[in-house]
Coordinates of all heavy atoms in Angstrom, one line a residue:
Chain A
R33 N 8.2 18.3 -3.2 CA 9.1 18.0 -2.1 C 9.8 19.4 -1.6 O 10.1 19.5 -0.4 CB 10.1 16.9 -2.4 CG 9.5 15.6 -2.7 CD 8.9 15.0 -1.4 NE 9.7 15.0 -0.3 CZ 10.6 14.1 0.1 NH1 10.8 13.1 -0.7 NH2 11.4 14.3 1.1
Y59 N 0.4 19.8 9.1 CA 1.2 20.4 10.2 C 2.3 21.3 9.5 O 2.6 21.0 8.4 CB 2.0 19.3 11.1 CG 1.1 18.4 11.8 CD1 0.5 17.2 11.2 CD2 0.8 18.6 13.1 CE1 -0.2 16.3 12.1 CE2 0.1 17.8 13.9 CZ -0.5 16.6 13.4 OH -1.3 15.8 14.1
Q61 N 6.3 22.3 10.6 CA 7.4 22.1 11.4 C 8.5 23.1 11.2 O 9.0 23.3 10.1 CB 8.0 20.7 11.3 CG 9.0 20.3 12.3 CD 9.6 18.9 12.1 OE1 9.6 18.3 11.1 NE2 10.0 18.4 13.3
L67 N 6.4 21.0 15.9 CA 5.3 20.7 15.0 C 4.0 21.3 15.5 O 3.6 21.4 16.7 CB 5.1 19.2 15.1 CG 6.0 18.5 14.2 CD1 6.6 17.3 14.9 CD2 5.2 17.9 13.0
L69 N -0.2 22.1 14.4 CA -1.3 21.7 13.7 C -1.9 22.9 12.9 O -2.2 23.9 13.5 CB -2.4 21.1 14.6 CG -3.6 20.5 13.8 CD1 -3.3 19.2 13.0 CD2 -4.7 20.2 14.9
Y72 N -7.3 20.1 10.2 CA -7.6 18.7 10.5 C -9.1 18.5 9.9 O -9.9 19.2 10.2 CB -7.7 18.5 12.1 CG -8.5 17.3 12.6 CD1 -8.4 16.1 11.9 CD2 -9.1 17.3 13.8 CE1 -9.1 15.0 12.4 CE2 -9.9 16.2 14.2 CZ -9.8 15.0 13.5 OH -10.5 13.9 14.1
E80 N -10.8 21.4 12.3 CA -9.9 22.4 13.0 C -9.2 23.3 11.8 O -8.7 22.7 11.0 CB -8.7 21.6 13.7 CG -7.5 22.4 14.1 CD -8.1 23.5 15.3 OE1 -8.7 23.1 16.2 OE2 -7.6 24.7 15.1
L115 N 3.9 19.2 6.7 CA 3.8 17.8 6.7 C 2.2 17.5 6.7 O 1.5 18.1 7.3 CB 4.4 17.2 8.0 CG 5.9 17.3 8.2 CD1 6.3 17.2 9.5 CD2 6.5 16.2 7.4
T122 N -10.8 8.5 14.1 CA -10.7 9.5 15.1 C -9.8 8.9 16.3 O -10.0 7.8 16.8 CB -11.9 9.9 15.8 OG1 -12.8 10.5 14.7 CG2 -11.8 11.1 16.8
G123 N -8.5 9.5 16.6 CA -7.8 9.0 17.7 C -6.8 7.9 17.2 O -6.0 7.4 18.0
A124 N -6.9 7.5 15.9 CA -6.1 6.3 15.5 C -4.7 6.8 15.2 O -4.4 8.0 15.1 CB -6.7 5.6 14.2
E125 N -3.8 5.8 14.8 CA -2.4 6.2 14.6 C -2.3 6.9 13.4 O -3.0 6.7 12.3 CB -1.6 4.8 14.4 CG -0.2 4.9 14.2 CD 0.5 3.6 14.1 OE1 -0.2 2.7 14.1 OE2 1.8 3.6 14.1
Q126 N -1.4 8.0 13.4 CA -1.3 8.9 12.3 C -0.1 8.6 11.6 O 1.0 8.2 12.1 CB -1.2 10.4 12.7 CG -2.5 11.0 13.4 CD -2.3 12.3 13.7 OE1 -1.5 13.2 13.1 NE2 -3.2 12.9 14.6
F127 N -0.1 8.6 10.2 CA 1.1 8.3 9.4 C 1.4 9.5 8.5 O 0.4 10.2 7.9 CB 0.7 7.1 8.4 CG 0.5 5.9 9.1 CD1 -0.7 5.5 9.8 CD2 1.7 4.9 9.4 CE1 -0.8 4.4 10.4 CE2 1.4 3.8 10.0 CZ 0.2 3.5 10.6
F128 N 2.6 9.8 8.4 CA 3.1 11.1 7.8 C 3.7 10.9 6.4 O 4.2 9.9 6.1 CB 4.1 11.7 8.7 CG 3.6 12.4 9.9 CD1 3.1 11.7 11.0 CD2 3.4 13.7 9.9 CE1 2.5 12.2 12.1 CE2 2.8 14.3 11.0 CZ 2.4 13.7 12.1
P130 N 6.3 12.7 3.4 CA 7.7 13.1 3.5 C 7.9 14.6 3.7 O 9.0 15.1 4.0 CB 8.3 12.7 2.1 CG 7.1 12.7 1.2 CD 5.9 12.3 2.0
Chain B
T54 N -3.8 8.4 24.3 CA -2.9 7.6 23.5 C -1.6 8.3 23.4 O -1.4 9.4 23.6 CB -3.4 7.3 22.0 OG1 -3.5 8.7 21.4 CG2 -4.7 6.7 22.0
Q56 N 2.0 8.4 20.7 CA 2.7 7.8 19.5 C 4.1 8.3 19.8 O 4.5 9.4 20.2 CB 2.1 8.5 18.2 CG 0.9 7.8 17.8 CD 0.6 8.1 16.3 OE1 -0.4 8.8 16.0 NE2 1.5 7.6 15.4
F58 N 7.8 8.6 17.3 CA 8.3 8.7 16.0 C 9.8 8.9 16.0 O 10.2 9.4 17.0 CB 7.7 9.9 15.2 CG 6.2 10.0 15.2 CD1 5.4 10.5 16.1 CD2 5.6 9.4 14.0 CE1 4.0 10.5 16.0 CE2 4.2 9.5 13.8 CZ 3.4 10.0 14.8
Q60 N 12.4 10.9 13.6 CA 12.6 11.7 12.5 C 14.1 11.5 12.0 O 15.0 11.9 12.7 CB 12.4 13.2 12.6 CG 12.3 14.1 11.5 CD 11.6 15.3 11.6 OE1 11.8 16.0 12.6 NE2 10.8 15.8 10.6
R63 N 16.8 12.7 6.9 CA 16.2 13.2 5.7 C 14.9 13.9 6.0 O 14.3 14.6 5.2 CB 15.8 12.0 4.7 CG 17.1 11.4 4.1 CD 16.7 10.4 3.1 NE 16.0 11.1 1.9 CZ 15.3 10.4 0.9 NH1 15.3 9.1 1.0 NH2 14.7 11.1 0.0
G64 N 14.5 13.8 7.3 CA 13.3 14.5 7.7 C 12.0 13.8 7.8 O 10.9 14.2 8.1
S65 N 12.1 12.5 7.4 CA 10.9 11.6 7.4 C 10.5 11.3 8.8 O 11.4 10.9 9.6 CB 11.1 10.4 6.6 OG 11.2 10.8 5.2
L66 N 9.2 11.2 9.1 CA 8.8 10.8 10.4 C 8.4 9.4 10.3 O 7.5 9.0 9.6 CB 7.5 11.6 10.9 CG 7.9 13.0 11.5 CD1 6.6 13.8 11.6 CD2 8.4 12.7 13.0
N68 N 6.9 5.9 12.1 CA 6.2 5.5 13.2 C 7.0 4.3 13.9 O 7.4 3.4 13.3 CB 4.9 5.0 12.7 CG 4.0 6.0 12.2 OD1 4.3 6.9 11.5 ND2 2.7 6.0 12.6
F70 N 5.8 3.5 17.7 CA 4.8 2.9 18.4 C 3.6 3.8 18.5 O 3.6 5.0 18.5 CB 5.3 2.8 19.9 CG 6.4 1.7 20.1 CD1 7.6 2.1 20.2 CD2 6.1 0.3 20.1 CE1 8.7 1.2 20.4 CE2 7.1 -0.6 20.3 CZ 8.4 -0.2 20.4
Y71 N 2.4 3.1 18.6 CA 1.2 3.7 18.9 C 0.6 3.0 20.2 O 0.5 1.8 20.1 CB 0.2 3.6 17.7 CG -1.3 3.9 18.0 CD1 -1.7 5.3 18.0 CD2 -2.2 3.0 18.3 CE1 -2.9 5.7 18.4 CE2 -3.5 3.5 18.6 CZ -3.9 4.8 18.6 OH -5.1 5.2 18.8
F109 N 10.5 11.9 18.7 CA 9.3 12.7 19.2 C 8.3 11.7 19.8 O 8.0 10.7 19.4 CB 8.7 13.4 18.0 CG 9.5 14.5 17.5 CD1 10.2 14.3 16.3 CD2 9.5 15.7 18.1 CE1 11.0 15.4 15.7 CE2 10.2 16.8 17.6 CZ 11.0 16.6 16.4
Y117 N -8.7 14.2 20.5 CA -8.0 13.2 19.6 C -7.0 13.9 18.7 O -6.7 13.4 17.6 CB -9.1 12.5 18.7 CG -10.1 11.8 19.6 CD1 -11.4 12.4 19.6 CD2 -9.8 10.7 20.3 CE1 -12.4 11.7 20.4 CE2 -10.7 10.0 21.1 CZ -12.1 10.5 21.2 OH -13.0 9.9 21.9
Q118 N -6.5 15.0 19.1 CA -5.4 15.7 18.4 C -4.0 15.4 19.1 O -4.1 15.2 20.3 CB -5.7 17.1 18.3 CG -6.9 17.4 17.4 CD -7.1 19.0 17.3 OE1 -6.3 19.7 17.7 NE2 -8.2 19.3 16.8
L119 N -3.1 15.3 18.3 CA -1.7 15.1 18.8 C -1.1 16.3 19.4 O -1.0 17.3 18.8 CB -0.7 14.5 17.8 CG -1.1 13.1 17.3 CD1 -0.1 12.6 16.3 CD2 -1.1 12.1 18.5
W121 N 2.6 17.6 20.8 CA 3.9 17.1 20.5 C 4.9 17.5 21.6 O 4.8 18.7 22.1 CB 4.4 17.6 19.2 CG 3.7 17.0 18.1 CD1 2.4 17.4 17.6 CD2 4.0 15.9 17.2 NE1 2.0 16.6 16.5 CE2 2.9 15.8 16.3 CE3 5.1 15.1 17.2 CZ2 3.1 14.7 15.3 CZ3 5.2 14.1 16.2 CH2 4.2 13.9 15.3

Side-chain angles (χ1 to χ4, degrees):
Chain A
R33 293 295 310 276
Y59 293 90
Q61 185 178 26
L67 277 132
L69 180 68
Y72 163 36
E80 169 65 50
L115 292 159
T122 305
E125 187 174 7
Q126 292 186 26
F127 294 87
F128 282 76
Chain B
T54 61
Q56 280 195 248
F58 298 88
Q60 190 162 41
R63 290 188 62 191
S65 295
L66 276 165
N68 290 47
F70 292 102
Y71 171 79
F109 289 98
Y117 305 106
Q118 294 180 14
L119 289 181
W121 293 80

